[in-house]
Amino acid sequence: MSSVIQSRPWDVHRLPSAEGRVFLVTGGNAGIGYFVAEQLATTGAVVVLGSRDRAKAGAAMASIRSRVPGAQVRHLPLDLADLASLKSAVDRLDVDRLDAVVHNAGVALDDPPRRETQDGHELMFGTNHLGHFALTQWLAPLLSAAPAARVVTVGSFAARSERLDLGDLESTRDYRPKRAYGRSKLAQMSFGFALDRRLRAADSTVLSVVAHPGGALDSLTPSRPPVCVTTPGRRLSSLPAALLVQGKEAGAWPVVRAVLDARVRGGQLWGPRVFGLRGMPRREPVPAHMADPVTAAGLWAASCAAAGAEPHLGFR
Ligand SMILES: NC(=O)c1ccc[n+]([C@@H]2O[C@H](COP(=O)([O-])OP(=O)(O)OC[C@H]3O[C@@H](n4cnc5c(N)ncnc54)[C@H](OP(=O)(O)O)[C@@H]3O)[C@@H](O)[C@H]2O)c1
């Protein structure tokens, strides 16, 4: 990348070329993940949509191809709630290196009852955190084979006010869905920062970066039929919300910057400029509780046990 491009301010509508690189976006078939994939496809990279639903992935790929001439998009069947399936999913990726994985897919429940994955883990912790934790282990050889790969974890402002309970990571007691969601996102962000510390200690070329979309509403999102459709009426009625939050296309911007910007470093947190809720991507200070090494170590050990992963996650 030339120094001219390096010194230019980041422009979300004018992304640098990433031709020859391969990116995997979990949950790339819908929501923010779709827009991350669409934006990354404009760089000339190969973009793989990790999605459990073949039809939705097909619709997302057709939409991207119709908007991005020459887009190179593929589908990888991927169900993060099924930990035992992840190794064979990665085996089917059929690439010799991976330049970035975006840990974007997520589930957020608003109401009880507490639900579990088929492996018996609380659904949000199991999918959002454990699924991505286990996936990282299987992707480690491919990430290490790239010259400077990135693991980009999508966090949330919901994690700011939460604290992890190492004695009850899976919310078996006093289950409250919003709190369990916030804790699952905090677990992901804690993992993202801890992973970077471990990668640095292992002298790895791989970086781990955390990004979050701010507040991103479907009703403020541009239509991409049939992937997402926003009627003019719905858009109009949600315009007051646009003072505070944004749509999912804009929610993708900090994530895409965390993947592509050569100035981004491991261990950083990126989010939207305006109150961390909307706007152009900028670097944010990392809240102390997200990078606390003692909590991170407890979470790491518990995650290895739950996911049957090696402590080094394949990065040596
Ligand atoms: N929207 C916001 O305001 C906001 C704010 C902060 C953080 N976030 C984070 O941003 C990310 C994307 O959110 P979003 O609003 O775009 O959500 P969304 O529209 O609900 O999309 C979620 C994506 O995750 C996929 N997914 C769910 N469970 C999965 C599983 N078991 N295996 C594979 N994929 C699975 C979904 O696939 P299916 O289509 O198959 O269900 C879908 O592609 C999440 O990590 C979320 O926590 C969002």
Side-chain angles (χ1 to χ4, degrees):
M1 204 178 291
S2 81
S3 56
V4 178
I5 293 174
Q6 285 274 355
S7 56
R8 206 178 62 200
W10 187 258
D11 182 344
V12 297
H13 300 296
R14 229 175 122 205
L15 300 174
S17 167
E19 232 164 281
R21 292 198 238 165
V22 184
F23 303 134
L24 168 64
V25 183
T26 70
N29 63 280
I32 294 162
Y34 167 81
F35 285 96
V36 170
E38 184 187 284
Q39 290 165 29
L40 289 177
T42 66
T43 68
V46 173
V47 183
V48 184
L49 312 188
S51 167
R52 58 186 169 173
D53 189 311
R54 187 170 294 280
K56 284 187 185 176
M61 290 192 295
S63 173
I64 293 172
R65 287 191 186 113
S66 74
R67 303 185 62 86
V68 182
Q72 300 185 71
V73 279
R74 286 173 40 194
H75 172 221
L76 178 71
L78 186 75
D79 184 355
L80 291 160
D82 180 2
L83 296 180
S85 70
L86 297 178
K87 183 181 183 310
S88 51
V90 169
D91 289 344
R92 284 196 298 272
L93 193 49
D94 195 25
V95 292
D96 48 23
R97 67 162 223 255
L98 185 64
D99 295 277
V101 56
V102 179
H103 288 335
N104 159 82
V107 52
L109 301 178
D110 291 326
D111 301 301
R114 181 181 179 278
R115 289 172 52 193
E116 293 188 346
T117 65
Q118 59 200 70
D119 306 319
H121 299 292
E122 188 279 318
L123 187 65
M124 293 181 278
F125 184 81
T127 307
N128 304 354
H129 172 61
L130 288 180
H132 285 120
F133 186 87
L135 179 65
T136 307
Q137 164 169 257
W138 303 124
L139 291 175
L142 294 174
L143 292 163
S144 300
R150 297 183 185 186
V151 177
V152 176
T153 297
V154 179
S156 171
F157 57 81
R160 285 190 172 270
S161 53
E162 297 298 344
R163 296 295 180 272
L164 292 177
D165 178 353
L166 289 177
D168 188 24
L169 283 168
E170 304 214 14
S171 306
T172 57
R173 295 187 295 271
D174 186 23
Y175 174 74
R176 293 183 231 163
K178 285 204 165 53
R179 186 177 67 182
Y181 169 73
R183 287 180 173 181
S184 77
K185 299 308 291 181
L186 176 55
Q188 285 190 266
M189 296 170 90
S190 170
F191 159 73
F193 296 123
L195 177 63
D196 199 69
R197 291 195 295 274
R198 286 169 180 261
L199 290 167
R200 299 288 68 74
D203 220 8
S204 171
T205 54
V206 180
L207 306 181
S208 171
V209 185
V210 180
H212 75 94
L217 302 185
D218 285 318
S219 51
L220 292 172
T221 300
S223 284
R224 296 289 190 269
V227 178
C228 57
V229 179
T230 314
T231 61
R234 199 162 163 235
R235 200 174 170 76
L236 199 64
S237 63
S238 57
L239 275 184
L243 289 171
L244 208 59
V245 293
Q246 57 191 355
K248 294 191 174 182
E249 181 185 39
W253 292 340
V255 182
V256 168
R257 185 165 184 178
V259 173
L260 292 175
D261 190 346
R263 290 160 292 198
V264 168
R265 298 281 172 265
Q268 292 182 345
L269 173 62
W270 288 77
R273 184 171 297 280
V274 185
F275 307 124
L277 288 173
R278 67 173 173 86
M280 292 296 148
R282 64 131 195 225
R283 190 181 160 195
E284 291 182 7
V286 178
H289 74 293
M290 293 184 183
D292 173 52
V294 176
T295 311
L299 173 68
W300 195 281
S303 306
C304 284
E310 298 293 334
H312 49 72
L313 277 195
F315 296 104
R316 290 195 245 215

